[in-house]
Amino acid sequence: MRGACAVAGVTVLVVVGAGMAAAGDESGRPDLARYYTQKIKWGTCKGDTEAMAEATGGAKDIRCGHVSVPLDYADPASGDVDVAMIRMKSSASGKPRGSLLLNFGGPGGPGVSALAGAQKDFGFLSKDYDVVSFDPRGVGLSEPVSCGDADKSTDPSSGGTGDAAAVLAEMRKVAAECAKKSGPVLPHMGTVNVSRDLDVMRQALGDKKLNYLGFSYGTRLGAVYAAQFPKNVGRMVLDGVDTLTEPVAEQSLVTAEGRQTALDNFLTWCTGNAGCVFGTDSRSARKGMVRLIKDMDQMPLRSLDGAEFTGQDVVGVLGQALYSRQAWPALSQALGALLADGDPRALIRMSGGLVPTGIPSTGPSTGPSTGPAAGEEVPADNMAAALMGVNCADDPDRPDAAHIEKEVGKLQKQFDDASPVFGKSMLMPVLLCFGRPAGTKYIREDVRDVKTPKLLLVGTRGDPATPYRWTEETARRLGSQAVVLDNKGDGHTGYLGSTCVQDKVNGFLLYGETPKSGESCAADEG
């Protein structure tokens, strides 16, 4: 859920209410009529999105389009952002009930390629809905932000407290490089803006109410929408519930701990199976993984065109692959190919990225990439850059330079103790927000006691990224309309990992069947 790279966070103007502001509105709000009256022109998906749709057997039902939203809602004349969208048309024989919008998390995760590659997972919901997803502003095909290689040149763990001033100075250089490479969208990222974009999408789709399924960070987005546009909320599910209150530092530390636990569990499983590349002893395997990351950071794999695959790139893949037990066999094989043959292709495919040009393959491709098409419209670091853009914009805590210089050594130890593998990458988001303008206070202070129809919140007891206590805390904040489904299984989010959760969520979204608050799902066997 958290990651590394730098972007500037700004306090954004929040207008609470439903619908658009008309020209000459007595409230003085900007005229947004041209955004709320647009229609989406759906057409054939291009490039890698089209290839993924064809590979998963649903290209005929998949169409792509976009909506225009204001770069700055306080000043619509300052420019527009084109938000890329994808639609899986309903299989209903009659008219569908409307659209169901999905957000797959991140922040920084693209929805267009994700839905193109996951049509079967949401096929049941398409019986009644047009299933729709999107790349949020600054993400994927929606004017992507980037920091270039700036984040890779910065290593906050390279020195102790005596180097704190140098570390902070380097962070500021990274922020400047991000701003230079990202363009005008960077200062206008953040969940409150994406939430407003979501309402424009709702209207452009022709829906009176927003029906929504959000995973991980997508739950934060859904909660903010419920607070901003309570009258426009239809059936909303939040799965893998994010915190609305904890600072970036606490969130990152929790994520580091959760990912390390998941990695330890994976290595225990791997060493208990024949053919594990780390051998048969789980303790040695854990040391071997730390050594692999360190060695590859010092001596990265290089492609013919100079692209590098580093230890931190491996960490990034692990962070995604460990979210689901179902991915463990593929992860074991991919790590085996890396260690035995120096071939990172399988790991790169698991991350949804492109294989760097010139890295040889020791065997045939196992399937298409979910990354951008040839020509690479999306920067390789976009997900990390967008993640930081949103997290910094959403977080109002900004200790000054003197504080971070004093605390950086303590922070480094905390994160290293939490995870010798993920600690470094989880510390980066904390440091990279320092020195930037404070983010909005709206989420922490005002997203509470929503006046919406019932909201279904799914919390998974063994979730490595969003601990179950966040589900309980967020439910209390949202108030009496929040209904909690307690999933007693493992993995990040519940819908795709639990038959019971999937049945309950489908029943809620399709038929309005609301579970009793506190109702539970037992862990799936096997």
Side-chain angles (χ1 to χ4, degrees):
M1 189 173 80
R2 312 294 161 196
C5 196
V7 279
V10 295
T11 301
V12 294
L13 176 65
V14 177
V15 179
V16 180
M20 58 185 173
D25 191 321
E26 292 181 0
S27 68
R29 289 181 291 181
D31 178 13
L32 302 176
R34 69 183 180 92
Y35 301 103
Y36 274 88
T37 55
Q38 66 185 305
K39 300 296 182 184
I40 302 170
K41 295 181 180 179
W42 298 105
T44 303
C45 298
K46 303 296 184 182
D48 195 67
T49 301
E50 181 182 32
M52 177 57 69
E54 290 176 349
T56 51
K60 292 182 180 179
D61 299 325
I62 287 285
R63 292 292 182 268
C64 292
H66 74 272
V67 295
S68 294
V69 297
L71 176 67
D72 181 355
Y73 278 92
D75 181 17
S78 64
D80 295 345
V81 177
D82 284 341
V83 175
M85 300 180 67
I86 185 170
R87 182 187 69 182
M88 181 168 68
K89 194 169 178 59
S90 172
S91 60
S93 56
K95 185 178 180 181
R97 69 164 50 250
S99 305
L100 174 68
L101 270 81
L102 308 182
N103 181 280
F104 290 92
V112 172
S113 60
L115 182 56
Q119 296 164 72
K120 292 181 180 178
D121 294 325
F122 301 98
F124 192 81
L125 290 170
S126 73
K127 290 182 177 182
D128 270 20
Y129 291 103
D130 288 336
V131 180
V132 178
S133 193
F134 62 101
D135 290 352
R137 57 170 64 204
V139 175
L141 301 176
S142 299
E143 304 191 21
V145 295
S146 173
C147 298
D149 293 327
D151 59 320
K152 292 185 178 181
S153 67
T154 305
D155 183 355
S157 61
S158 61
T161 54
D163 297 322
V167 169
L168 193 61
E170 194 63 32
M171 296 300 105
R172 288 173 173 151
K173 289 181 182 178
V174 173
E177 189 68 12
C178 293
K180 178 181 177 182
K181 291 184 178 294
S182 293
V185 72
L186 182 60
H188 299 285
M189 297 184 71
T191 303
V192 289
N193 272 339
V194 177
S195 173
R196 301 199 70 187
D197 297 345
L198 199 58
D199 198 57
V200 172
M201 285 182 257
R202 174 199 59 78
Q203 182 72 21
L205 288 164
D207 295 327
K208 292 182 179 180
K209 302 287 185 179
L210 176 75
N211 299 306
Y212 178 83
L213 172 55
F215 299 99
S216 192
Y217 160 77
T219 67
R220 188 197 313 172
L221 175 58
V224 170
Y225 185 90
Q228 285 185 297
F229 302 98
K231 294 181 180 180
N232 293 353
V233 173
R235 294 174 182 173
M236 179 175 287
V237 178
L238 310 180
D239 183 3
V241 182
D242 199 359
T243 180
L244 300 175
T245 59
E246 292 189 4
V248 168
E250 292 181 27
Q251 295 178 46
S252 294
L253 194 61
V254 166
T255 302
E257 293 170 343
R259 288 185 176 180
Q260 185 64 47
T261 298
L263 177 60
D264 291 346
N265 292 340
F266 162 74
L267 291 173
T268 298
W269 168 87
C270 181
T271 53
N273 288 274
C276 179
V277 71
F278 290 102
T280 59
D281 182 75
S282 60
R283 181 177 297 181
S284 296
R286 287 192 286 271
K287 293 180 180 178
M289 181 64 78
V290 174
R291 186 165 55 250
L292 169 66
I293 303 304
K294 184 178 295 186
D295 289 348
M296 287 193 62
D297 276 338
Q298 294 175 351
M299 298 183 64
L301 293 174
R302 286 185 172 83
S303 65
L304 298 179
D305 65 357
E308 293 185 344
F309 189 74
T310 69
Q312 293 311 301
D313 291 324
V314 175
V315 171
V317 178
L318 290 173
Q320 296 180 58
L322 290 170
Y323 279 165
S324 171
R325 252 189 112 91
Q326 297 171 340
W328 286 8
L331 178 61
S332 179
Q333 292 178 359
L335 288 168
L338 178 68
L339 284 166
D341 304 313
D343 178 10
R345 291 170 64 91
L347 277 176
I348 294 169
R349 281 193 292 270
M350 290 191 75
S351 72
L354 288 176
V355 178
T357 303
I359 288 184
S361 172
T362 56
S365 171
T366 59
S369 164
T370 58
E376 201 165 350
E377 298 176 50
V378 181
D381 74 319
N382 172 243
M383 187 178 293
L387 183 149
M388 280 312 305
V390 175
N391 280 346
C392 291
D394 286 1
D395 189 86
D397 299 310
R398 289 295 185 275
D400 59 23
H403 178 86
I404 186 55
E405 287 179 19
K406 180 180 179 181
E407 294 294 320
V408 67
K410 178 182 177 181
L411 283 169
Q412 178 184 325
K413 186 177 187 306
Q414 283 181 329
F415 278 78
D416 284 345
D417 289 346
S419 172
V421 171
F422 297 103
K424 175 181 174 180
S425 63
M426 292 297 100
L427 176 58
M428 286 289 285
V430 179
L431 296 180
L432 288 169
C433 284
F434 285 113
R436 290 165 176 75
T440 179
K441 295 181 179 179
Y442 176 77
I443 299 173
R444 189 174 295 177
E445 295 182 356
D446 297 330
V447 181
R448 61 172 68 245
D449 300 320
V450 296
K451 307 302 181 184
T452 67
K454 293 293 185 182
L455 310 173
L456 179 57
L457 278 60
V458 180
T460 299
R461 293 284 179 171
D463 195 314
T466 51
Y468 186 78
R469 64 178 174 83
W470 285 357
T471 302
E472 296 177 315
E473 291 169 3
T474 298
R476 286 194 294 270
R477 281 182 58 86
L478 295 180
S480 61
Q481 296 306 95
V483 176
V484 172
L485 178 62
D486 180 358
N487 176 28
K488 298 186 182 300
D490 294 305
H492 184 38
T493 73
Y495 185 78
L496 298 180
S498 165
T499 302
C500 172
V501 170
Q502 193 166 95
D503 288 344
K504 298 288 186 184
V505 170
N506 289 346
F508 177 79
L509 290 172
L510 295 175
Y511 314 118
E513 299 171 350
T514 306
K516 295 180 180 178
S517 192
E519 192 170 335
S520 66
C521 281
D524 281 359
E525 295 184 4

